[in-house]
Amino acid sequence: MKNKRDKGCFIILITILMMSISALNASAAVMPLCIKDDEGRIHINKSDLHKQEDKVVFLTFDDGPSHLNTERILNLLVKNEIKASFFIIGKNAENNKTVMKKMMDNNMAIYPHCYEHDYSKIYRSRENYIKDFEKCVNVIRDISPSYNARFMRMPGGSDNTISKRGVLSSIKSSISDKGYTIVDWNIDSRDTFAQKVSSEVIKRSVIKGSDGISIAVVLFHDAEAKITTAEALQDIIDYYKENNYKFKTFNEITLKEKSKMIEMRIINKAAV
Ligand SMILES: [Zn+2]
């Protein structure tokens, strides 16, 4: 009798233990998203929702296209099945129409930067700037008549100190009135900090700048001499892939990303 009672107690204990473990597992499974308050109401754990937010990277290349270097960059992007954004110089596009067509055929996003990249000329007046900008847009339209993207990047960035404040703000107003979104960046690859920047420095600048960033807009340059930019690219792409970033162009931007980027002062940066 004694043995039977002990055996019964043992079975009950094991059952209770197993039920407790399974309850613990169940609560652990729902913990990341839901919290129950003292009155039994369920709340969404917003900090954990935030952790699950998609990370996104926009690789951007200014000043191209160039004859050979764009090809190097393009080949890597195609090999990795990702798209990037190219803010082009109209004059370079006229001189490299075959490269431009190849970029378009591979669904890269092409946006206007300027026609001549002559700071002293374009930033002298609003009229000069807009004339140069429209010339660039017309070059893109000549190559691709259906072109209608409405994103652009200003040479030197939208808060450059080249032109007088009043001139700069009237340039920005005119661009916005034409329906364009002005794009800056939050990660500088530093590939223009010297005549030749090593690919290691470019790689380190991008990786260091991306730490803890959920929306990364990376500034690179595409010119014939920027070979090290192309050399650093595969390791940079690998870094973003390993860290679960989604590669996007501005043509694919969501409203949520856009408002976050305004908040982060990456696009349509207001004067301070
Ligand atoms: Zn530029």
Side-chain angles (χ1 to χ4, degrees):
M1 277 295 281
K2 193 174 178 271
N3 277 349
K4 246 186 188 173
R5 202 174 61 230
D6 283 351
K7 202 174 170 187
C9 283
F10 182 69
I11 288 168
I12 288 165
L13 267 172
I14 289 293
T15 311
I16 289 170
L17 193 65
M18 284 179 76
M19 280 170 73
S20 306
I21 289 168
S22 113
L24 266 174
N25 284 342
S27 67
V30 295
M31 265 304 279
L33 282 180
C34 302
I35 300 169
K36 218 175 197 178
D37 67 16
D38 292 340
E39 287 159 41
R41 286 180 301 227
I42 304 279
H43 297 270
I44 299 294
N45 186 346
K46 283 180 186 153
S47 64
D48 281 313
L49 262 184
H50 182 71
K51 272 180 215 157
Q52 292 176 4
E53 196 178 58
D54 280 344
K55 289 194 282 188
V56 57
V57 58
F58 299 80
L59 302 179
T60 73
F61 296 87
D62 287 11
D63 302 351
S66 55
H67 179 52
L68 294 172
N69 211 35
T70 306
E71 289 264 6
R72 290 188 193 103
I73 294 167
L74 196 55
N75 288 342
L76 276 172
L77 296 171
V78 171
K79 189 180 122 194
N80 285 276
E81 298 179 333
I82 57 176
K83 284 183 269 175
S85 304
F86 291 82
F87 294 93
I88 61 112
I89 295 179
K91 215 172 185 175
N92 290 347
E94 281 178 340
N95 293 330
N96 295 290
K97 283 188 181 169
T98 314
V99 180
M100 276 287 282
K101 284 201 177 104
K102 200 170 170 187
M103 287 155 82
M104 288 169 171
D105 288 348
N106 283 288
N107 299 315
M108 297 300 152
I110 312 287
Y111 306 115
H113 188 39
C114 55
Y115 180 77
E116 273 189 294
H117 218 277
D118 181 346
Y119 284 24
S120 62
K121 193 171 159 189
I122 59 174
Y123 285 121
R124 200 176 303 146
S125 68
R126 187 193 68 86
E127 291 72 23
N128 281 10
Y129 187 95
I130 297 303
K131 204 174 150 192
D132 177 90
F133 176 69
E134 285 187 334
K135 208 170 166 186
C136 179
V137 172
N138 288 335
V139 170
I140 302 175
R141 286 213 180 109
D142 278 348
I143 299 168
S144 173
S146 61
Y147 177 82
N148 68 352
R150 283 289 186 273
F151 292 89
M152 64 83 68
R153 178 174 282 154
M154 295 174 70
S158 74
D159 58 355
N160 70 76
T161 51
I162 303 147
S163 61
K164 289 179 185 149
R165 279 283 150 208
V167 175
L168 189 68
S169 59
S170 79
I171 290 171
K172 284 158 78 171
S173 302
S174 293
I175 295 169
S176 299
D177 290 347
K178 287 175 183 294
Y180 283 90
T181 295
I182 303 172
V183 181
D184 283 299
W185 57 89
N186 61 339
I187 292 159
D188 190 341
S189 70
R190 299 167 74 93
D191 61 354
T192 51
F193 275 46
Q195 196 66 27
K196 193 171 182 182
V197 180
S198 79
S199 57
E200 263 310 301
V201 168
I202 296 170
K203 197 175 113 182
R204 271 205 311 270
S205 304
V206 174
I207 292 173
K208 200 175 165 207
S210 303
D211 189 30
I213 300 281
S214 62
I215 298 182
V217 178
V218 192
L219 172 69
F220 295 105
H221 291 85
D222 170 18
E224 218 56 274
K226 295 289 160 205
I227 297 167
T228 50
T229 301
E231 284 171 359
L233 199 55
Q234 185 59 59
D235 284 348
I236 292 170
I237 291 170
D238 289 344
Y239 166 81
Y240 286 119
K241 280 185 175 174
E242 280 157 19
N243 285 279
N244 304 314
Y245 281 82
K246 199 173 183 179
F247 292 83
K248 274 191 176 187
T249 70
F250 297 97
N251 296 345
E252 304 158 294
I253 194 172
T254 64
L255 281 175
K256 194 179 165 195
E257 284 161 356
K258 194 170 178 178
S259 63
K260 183 101 189 276
M261 285 162 82
I262 291 171
E263 204 180 287
M264 292 166 78
R265 294 176 56 75
I266 299 171
I267 59 175
N268 293 341
K269 196 186 279 183
V272 282

